[in-house]
Amino acid sequence: MIEPRDFVRTLATENAAFWRGRDVRIDPDAPAERRLLQIRYRMRQGVYNELRSVELIAAWIPHVREQEIRDLLPGQLDDEQRHYQLLRKRLIDLGERPDFYQPLPEWEALFDWLVACRTRPTIEKLAMFQFAGETQSCDGFETLIELARDVDGETAALYETQILPDEYRHAAIGRTALLLFADTPARQAAARAACQEMNERVFAAYCAHRARADRRG
Ligand SMILES: [Fe+2]
Ligand SMILES: [Fe+2]
């Protein structure tokens, strides 16, 4: 059997390989004006996603029986609601009226699916959202921060100082879960399949998101 530590390292490499060139939400080569529109669209999506992350973690907590992980989730829930408040306030300061009830079908479907996954084994849930999803989020935020610096420095600083450090901690919760529980070939296979399922669904959401953002100009 592959040791959990080696398995987690391999799985992280596989996930990173899947994501190479696939975060299509922001076009690094777009002129500044267009890039700013993409960043704003992405922030509106972020307000929705952060709020639904709160709901998601709340839905999962009663189904996570393993104390080591269960103890970490309320802290994540608290972070996600703070991110929601921060992004919402930033958009309001920029003169927007963020309406998180506005349907964003691809993200709505993704979070509905994740909430419905609450009864799946802890290793699968945490492989999906914290390990695969949050790790990709961190990469996405790193890119967003770099691309926002010259067009909206204040938003870049907000992401860099008040959101990104928390997201790295959330990804680490996923790693902790895999190190603890990916200790049989069957569990390792389940974790790998869960990551693939999540990555594919998130990629589909990214593509739909970009198509909608482009239609809005
Ligand atoms: Fe967050
Ligand atoms: Fe998070």
Side-chain angles (χ1 to χ4, degrees), residues 39-51 79-100 141 144 152 154-160 162-164 167:
I39 289 164
R40 290 287 149 77
Y41 196 74
R42 168 94 189 269
M43 290 168 73
R44 287 197 289 275
Q45 170 231 318
V47 171
Y48 178 85
N49 286 14
E50 298 288 359
L51 190 64
D79 291 341
E80 307 296 15
Q81 83 78 28
R82 195 171 52 255
H83 299 165
Y84 161 70
Q85 303 285 357
L86 285 168
L87 282 180
R88 187 168 183 276
K89 181 176 183 307
R90 178 68 188 141
L91 281 170
I92 291 169
D93 289 349
L94 288 165
E96 298 210 10
R97 291 176 168 272
D99 178 2
F100 55 79
F141 285 135
L144 170 66
D152 185 353
E154 206 171 324
T155 293
L158 173 77
Y159 275 104
E160 188 168 33
Q162 298 191 61
I163 294 179
L164 186 59
E167 302 300 359

Side-chain angles (χ1 to χ4, degrees), residues 25-195:
R25 289 171 296 174
I26 303 179
D27 180 359
D29 301 322
E33 200 179 319
R34 175 146 195 80
R35 195 155 24 96
L36 185 60
L37 286 176
Q38 291 177 343
I39 289 164
R40 290 287 149 77
Y41 196 74
R42 168 94 189 269
M43 290 168 73
R44 287 197 289 275
Q45 170 231 318
V47 171
Y48 178 85
N49 286 14
E50 298 288 359
L51 190 64
R52 294 230 51 198
S53 298
V54 178
E55 174 200 342
L56 168 63
I57 302 301
W60 281 12
I61 287 172
H63 298 277
V64 174
R65 309 278 177 197
E66 298 84 350
Q67 200 67 44
E68 310 94 314
I69 301 302
R70 196 172 184 165
D71 286 348
L72 299 172
L73 295 180
Q76 180 179 3
L77 189 151
D78 186 40
D79 291 341
E80 307 296 15
Q81 83 78 28
R82 195 171 52 255
H83 299 165
Y84 161 70
Q85 303 285 357
L86 285 168
L87 282 180
R88 187 168 183 276
K89 181 176 183 307
R90 178 68 188 141
L91 281 170
I92 291 169
D93 289 349
L94 288 165
E96 298 210 10
R97 291 176 168 272
D99 178 2
F100 55 79
Y101 294 114
Q102 196 182 342
L104 296 157
E106 62 276 12
W107 297 106
E108 191 175 33
L110 182 75
F111 277 95
D112 287 352
W113 169 71
L114 282 165
V115 170
C117 288
R118 62 188 174 276
T119 54
R120 284 174 64 165
T122 293
I123 187 171
E124 293 179 26
K125 290 199 288 277
L126 276 277
M128 290 186 305
F129 190 64
Q130 281 85 353
F131 186 72
E134 298 272 27
T135 303
Q136 165 51 26
S137 289
C138 290
D139 275 3
F141 285 135
E142 298 272 13
T143 306
L144 170 66
I145 290 162
E146 287 315 310
L147 296 177
R149 274 193 213 287
D150 64 330
V151 289
D152 185 353
E154 206 171 324
T155 293
L158 173 77
Y159 275 104
E160 188 168 33
T161 61
Q162 298 191 61
I163 294 179
L164 186 59
D166 296 339
E167 302 300 359
Y168 274 114
R169 220 171 32 246
H170 304 162
I173 297 173
R175 211 158 43 242
T176 300
L178 291 186
L179 287 170
L180 284 170
F181 310 131
D183 55 358
T184 68
R187 289 183 190 161
Q188 292 178 357
R192 176 173 276 122
C195 285

